[in-house]
Amino acid sequence: MNIFCKKIWYCLFVITLELFNVNSFYAQECTSVYKNSDFPVEQRINDLIQRMTLHEKVMQMNQWTMGKNLNPNNVEDKINEFDPEIGSILYRSINPVYRNEIQRKAIEESRLGIPVIFAFDVIHGYRTVFPIPLAQACSWNTELVEQSCEVAAKEAWLSGVNWTFSPMVDVARDPRWGRVSEGYGEDPYVNARFAVAAVKGYQGHDLSEKYTIAACLKHFVGYSMSEGGRDYNYTDVSSQTLWETFMSPFEAGVSVGVATLMSGFNDITGVPATANHYTLTEVLKNKWGHDGFVISDWGSIKNLIDQGVAQDRKQAALKSFKAGVEMDMVDNVYLENMEELVKEKKISEEDINEAVRRILRVKFHLGLFDQPYVDVIKEKDRYLQKRDVDIATEIAAESMVLLKNTPYGNNDNNILPLDTSLKNIAVIGPMVKDSVNIMGFWEGMGKSEDVKSIYESLDEELGKKHRLYYALGCEFDGNDTTLFQQAREACQKSEAVIICLGEKRNWSGENGSRSSLALPYIQEQLVSEIKKLNKPIIIVLSNGRPLELIRLNNLADAIVEIWQPGTYGANALAGILSGRINPSGKLAITFPLTTGQIPIHYNRRPSAVKNQGNYKDIPEQPLYTFGHGLSYTCYEYDTIKLSSSKIKMNGKLYAELKVTNNGTFDGKETILWFISDPVANISRPIKELKYFEKKEIKAGESVVYRFNIDPIRDLSYVDGYGQKHLESGEYYLQVGNQKVQFELED
Ligand code: NOJ
């Protein structure tokens, strides 16, 4: 019998039962359309909702956490402390058996057997820790990012997780805000491209398949504008900036089917993101047609009281629900108030049904009703598999940015890669033997035991040809200079010095704001001391944000920015220093010259008076701008070729650029295509990135890069109401130092 006939027979059977009002257990079981995978999801949802009590519906709209946030001691709470009707659990254990037990309780002990959706912050890997997202963006390799998310999803799924609170696509504006480490840098287009890659990586082609998990775009929206870079602070976001800078990465993620979004802690010029009807309902649900659900951030519903828009928890629940937040993360504000709000007719049960429908839709798409349990396999087969390790190493290598590389002593050659004639090398600094901070904030279930430190990796890579002398030199902070002497001694025995500096992991990430981008003085002092010994200095930096390098830059012959590169990052660094790997990372965020230069993203609007108004005490330019990154080879760019110097509004224009690798190293080069529009009704940024592509170019070979310009997509701009405008006139296409004019005709 085909599925269509089966369904007709089934419906006739159900109608007969209804007609004869058969109310037996048998009827109950057999009419469970929602349990039958032959039926379409929407029909299953409707069937389930009409069986649910108001209380059961409200329970679906709540997420509880197992134990305290990041408190490993609470992880193994007894399962009988969980109400089997709960909608979601923030699951902080790696044990799939335990997770399946909880699920079994939900399925077997709740009246309707609705499965729980288990969530966890899988931000840059689960057990295999990948570089922080900011670093991943510097790889400009969307395929590798997609693969990393796929690996993270698989490891998480095998541990019992169905849903991650990632990717974060808050466009970076102020690097004092520690959460710039969690996003993809300062450009909206870059964030949008990586949003798509991450969502595809986590969710795969079909969410119901094994090893896929639901993604969550966060924090909707404008959170990165926290004033002064102070986390959780209020944000002043004009409607123009909201649309021009912050919305597009979310829109891109929604367009590829992201299952969920998280509302931010911030307010959007007075209306908190968690109580914002405009962004959550008018835009997200009505304009973009998102059919999944929105979860509040940790405490962000009750925070509405502190933010001065709700007088109590009940009003906070009412406001966030009405705005479009369907699930309450850990607050219990919905649980306490929703039923009463319905009884008081402040919220209709139909609206509750719609919210629950969205939550159930994600659960159905995840296949949780049909396959509620995850496979239990041995821990050694779950994590850190060969392919996972290779991807983690590759993306770490491609994320690292060679900021500076100059000749040393009387040599013509740059100091990097290290020459074998440098027999003795000192390796000093607080990052050298670190295996914790190198993983970065939100390290998931990463373990420092899995990490090979920089020292171990260098020893393995360089040990046969060079002799290494280690000294700590100084701690990350404090003012103890007594360790300088050991460092001096190690350097005196050496022909070159590698100094590994950086930030501790919790100096960035959530609640990781810093007033200055400079490293603590003790670290700079260590470099100044070593400089006196007149040896070539290579500085290796591991940090979660751009740093103020104005002083260190002058002391170093080379600087390698490795970010927080994760479990296998040190191995990638060793490859770069030895020359086994040719660096290919480029900055996805600008390094200002000094902290006072912030905000200094590349895509600023033009100033009213050219070349004036700059600070009197420092140069105008940042130290290292968006897109900067050196290589061991030399790429020669041919002139940009345009298919025409004019383009019609509905036409297409093709641009080509031939790039030749003139050096001796094979490499990977990323071409960034910018557009600028010098005259428009709303002033446009100096230039805007519209496309990028990374390709491999072997030594001595050439590769052609192409960019097909689509006027609506690439030349239009959005106004403060989200409307697109396309204006005729002159435009410029820019790559590197080249700028080519063309005209958009009426
Ligand atoms: C608060 C953070 O802002 C958010 O990004 C995270 O996903 C939740 N806590 C859950 O841990």
Side-chain angles (χ1 to χ4, degrees):
M1 199 169 3
N2 71 27
I3 184 156
F4 185 66
C5 293
K6 244 170 119 183
K7 274 185 192 162
I8 291 183
W9 277 112
Y10 193 85
C11 291
L12 286 173
F13 179 59
V14 171
I15 291 165
T16 315
L17 289 173
E18 292 280 321
L19 280 177
F20 292 95
N21 198 13
V22 181
N23 208 7
S24 65
F25 169 78
Y26 181 69
Q28 167 81 16
E29 278 304 291
C30 291
T31 51
S32 298
V33 169
Y34 76 97
K35 289 190 176 164
N36 188 336
S37 60
D38 286 342
F39 283 88
V41 165
E42 294 305 312
Q43 212 171 318
R44 295 176 79 184
I45 297 172
N46 288 338
D47 176 68
L48 177 54
I49 288 182
Q50 50 104 9
R51 292 164 192 273
M52 294 169 79
T53 63
L54 179 58
H55 179 71
E56 283 165 338
K57 292 173 190 170
V58 172
M59 285 296 282
Q60 284 302 308
M61 296 165 61
N62 283 271
Q63 179 177 70
W64 286 352
T65 184
M66 286 181 42
K68 267 196 144 206
N69 201 0
L70 296 183
N71 183 345
N73 301 325
N74 291 337
V75 163
E76 301 285 326
D77 279 3
K78 293 276 178 303
I79 54 167
N80 55 17
E81 285 173 18
F82 290 93
D83 189 324
E85 312 279 351
I86 193 69
S88 176
I89 284 175
L90 232 167
Y91 185 67
R92 301 183 181 284
S93 160
I94 61 157
N95 185 352
V97 177
Y98 178 40
R99 178 271 191 201
N100 282 348
E101 274 176 46
I102 299 172
Q103 189 69 296
R104 198 170 307 285
K105 185 173 153 121
I107 304 283
E108 291 173 8
E109 295 180 30
S110 67
R111 193 177 68 90
L112 293 164
I114 303 176
V116 168
I117 176 169
F118 293 83
F120 185 63
D121 283 290
V122 186
I123 307 297
H124 50 110
Y126 187 79
R127 172 73 178 267
T128 304
V129 183
F130 296 92
I132 52 170
L134 178 59
Q136 295 185 21
C138 297
S139 77
W140 302 85
N141 193 330
T142 49
E143 270 168 48
L144 272 181
V145 169
E146 186 173 331
Q147 286 169 16
S148 314
C149 293
E150 195 190 305
V151 170
K154 187 190 74 187
E155 289 191 345
W157 189 91
L158 284 168
S159 318
V161 175
N162 311 111
W163 177 22
T164 174
F165 298 137
S166 169
M168 183 188 107
V169 291
D170 297 313
V171 176
R173 276 295 169 267
D174 188 331
R176 288 172 298 180
W177 188 60
R179 304 200 79 169
V180 297
S181 64
E182 297 174 49
Y184 301 104
E186 72 190 33
D187 183 79
Y189 174 71
V190 175
N191 274 275
R193 284 277 296 271
F194 284 108
V196 167
V199 170
K200 285 185 175 170
Y202 290 130
Q203 298 195 168
H205 298 296
D206 177 356
L207 258 187
S208 68
E209 279 175 9
K210 282 182 181 183
Y211 311 148
T212 61
I213 59 177
C216 179
L217 291 172
K218 69 186 188 185
H219 306 83
F220 198 54
V221 53
Y223 180 27
S224 51
M225 283 287 270
S226 282
E227 202 188 50
R230 287 181 287 268
D231 204 7
Y232 314 125
N233 212 2
Y234 90 95
T235 56
D236 204 351
V237 192
S238 71
S239 53
Q240 183 62 32
T241 300
L242 181 71
W243 278 99
E244 196 172 286
T245 306
F246 297 116
M247 286 299 215
S248 56
F250 288 95
E251 189 175 4
V254 169
S255 76
V256 291
V258 73
T260 69
L261 286 91
M262 186 186 293
S263 64
F265 287 124
N266 60 298
D267 65 72
I268 307 169
T269 318
V271 182
T274 296
N276 204 303
H277 188 265
Y278 175 66
T279 53
L280 293 169
T281 295
E282 290 166 51
V283 177
L284 176 66
K285 298 182 198 338
N286 300 348
K287 189 174 163 124
W288 295 345
H290 184 245
D291 68 356
F293 69 91
V294 175
I295 183 164
S296 59
D297 200 347
W298 186 280
S300 73
I301 302 182
K302 70 170 167 38
N303 291 354
L304 297 178
I305 305 169
D306 294 326
Q307 286 170 303
V309 299
Q311 64 189 18
D312 53 24
R313 289 165 69 86
K314 190 168 174 185
Q315 199 181 18
L318 180 63
K319 284 207 165 186
S320 62
F321 179 79
K322 286 269 185 196
V325 174
E326 283 88 16
M327 190 179 276
D328 170 354
M329 186 191 284
V330 305
D331 270 357
N332 276 341
V333 184
Y334 278 7
L335 201 54
E336 289 161 16
N337 297 290
M338 223 33 107
E339 288 174 64
E340 214 173 302
L341 285 164
V342 173
K343 278 187 202 116
E344 290 169 4
K345 301 211 175 334
K346 294 198 172 118
I347 290 175
S348 72
E349 189 153 354
E350 194 31 58
D351 284 348
I352 297 274
N353 288 349
E354 179 49 27
V356 175
R357 183 171 285 121
R358 286 171 172 276
I359 294 166
L360 293 175
R361 186 174 290 131
V362 171
K363 292 189 176 185
F364 274 110
H365 285 316
L366 275 166
L368 285 172
F369 281 85
D370 310 317
Q371 287 291 339
Y373 307 108
V374 294
D375 299 349
V376 177
I377 62 172
K378 284 195 190 118
E379 207 176 312
K380 72 169 183 36
D381 299 324
R382 262 185 254 156
Y383 311 125
L384 308 164
Q385 302 301 295
K386 165 87 174 69
R387 176 175 175 265
D388 311 350
V389 172
D390 290 348
I391 294 171
T393 314
E394 206 178 329
I395 193 164
E398 293 205 16
S399 311
M400 295 179 181
V401 184
L402 181 61
L403 293 175
K404 178 176 180 181
N405 194 14
T406 55
Y408 61 105
N410 301 324
N411 287 280
D412 293 334
N413 294 342
N414 292 335
I415 179 76
L416 290 180
L418 291 165
D419 196 276
T420 41
S421 64
L422 302 166
K423 288 277 171 260
N424 303 296
I425 299 179
V427 189
I428 63 173
M431 275 306 298
V432 177
K433 291 203 171 172
D434 173 273
S435 59
V436 173
N437 298 298
I438 200 163
M439 287 193 285
F441 199 80
W442 296 118
E443 77 282 26
M445 291 295 176
K447 291 194 170 171
S448 61
E449 300 96 272
D450 302 333
V451 173
K452 217 177 249 175
S453 70
I454 292 179
Y455 186 81
E456 289 168 294
S457 299
L458 287 184
D459 192 35
E460 207 172 281
E461 179 104 19
L462 307 174
K464 289 202 182 90
K465 294 186 182 149
H466 309 260
R467 179 156 185 192
L468 304 184
Y469 293 95
Y470 165 73
L472 176 60
C474 69
E475 301 291 349
F476 282 94
D477 52 3
N479 46 21
D480 180 4
T481 56
T482 54
L483 296 167
F484 283 6
Q485 185 48 29
Q486 279 175 352
R488 272 190 218 103
E489 285 161 17
C491 296
Q492 262 148 357
K493 289 185 232 160
S494 309
E495 290 95 50
V497 185
I498 300 171
I499 312 186
C500 303
L501 308 174
E503 293 186 309
K504 286 188 177 171
R505 56 180 285 284
N506 61 358
W507 292 359
S508 61
E510 187 179 352
N511 205 4
S513 302
R514 294 185 65 217
S515 70
S516 164
L517 303 186
L519 286 176
Y521 180 60
I522 186 88
Q523 297 195 38
E524 292 198 359
Q525 219 183 341
L526 173 68
V527 183
S528 305
E529 282 304 309
I530 300 304
K531 181 73 185 169
K532 291 178 191 159
L533 303 176
N534 207 16
K535 310 271 167 149
I537 293 179
I538 298 140
I539 296 185
V540 171
L541 298 169
S542 173
N543 38 280
R545 56 157 62 73
L547 297 175
E548 175 182 302
L549 297 177
I550 184 169
R551 291 163 298 280
L552 288 177
N553 195 59
N554 296 333
L555 302 175
D557 296 274
I559 304 181
V560 190
E561 174 57 75
I562 67 166
W563 305 107
Q564 286 152 337
T567 318
Y568 300 101
N571 178 293
L573 170 69
I576 287 181
L577 297 182
S578 73
R580 174 173 55 83
I581 295 170
N582 184 2
S584 64
K586 295 188 182 205
L587 294 178
I589 192 165
T590 297
F591 274 50
L593 188 63
T594 66
T595 307
Q597 244 182 4
I598 299 168
I600 190 153
H601 42 95
Y602 86 92
N603 42 7
R604 305 182 296 281
R605 288 186 209 291
S607 133
V609 184
K610 269 203 180 115
N611 304 326
Q612 290 196 49
N614 297 313
Y615 298 115
K616 300 288 181 208
D617 54 337
I618 51 166
E620 183 196 345
Q621 295 304 322
L623 183 59
Y624 293 118
T625 194
F626 178 83
H628 173 77
L630 306 172
S631 159
Y632 292 154
T633 194
C634 171
Y635 298 111
E636 191 193 311
Y637 290 15
D638 208 343
T639 41
I640 298 174
K641 290 197 180 70
L642 272 185
S643 57
S644 164
S645 59
K646 293 186 193 309
I647 178 172
K648 297 221 178 315
M649 296 260 178
N650 59 357
K652 283 247 165 32
L653 191 63
Y654 305 99
E656 274 188 10
L657 177 67
K658 188 165 115 186
V659 179
T660 305
N661 180 345
N662 275 337
T664 49
F665 282 80
D666 295 344
K668 285 188 178 175
E669 174 69 336
T670 305
I671 294 298
L672 310 184
W673 299 90
F674 296 94
I675 294 276
S676 55
D677 176 2
V679 185
N681 282 320
I682 295 176
S683 169
R684 309 304 311 131
I686 301 165
K687 59 179 187 175
E688 292 172 278
L689 186 70
K690 294 294 174 178
Y691 187 59
F692 64 83
E693 193 177 11
K694 186 170 197 174
K695 290 187 179 198
E696 188 166 359
I697 317 182
K698 298 243 180 276
E701 292 185 1
S702 303
V703 162
V704 176
Y705 292 72
R706 288 190 181 81
F707 172 31
N708 300 339
I709 301 171
D710 174 311
I712 289 287
R713 189 191 59 202
D714 304 315
L715 306 180
S716 71
Y717 63 86
V718 71
D719 67 18
Y721 302 95
Q723 300 299 325
K724 280 192 170 178
H725 299 265
L726 186 59
E727 296 178 8
S728 58
E730 122 197 69
Y731 288 83
Y732 290 88
L733 177 64
Q734 271 178 258
V735 176
N737 300 327
Q738 294 187 60
K739 201 168 173 180
V740 190
Q741 191 193 350
F742 62 95
E743 193 190 327
L744 178 65
E745 297 177 321
D746 271 327

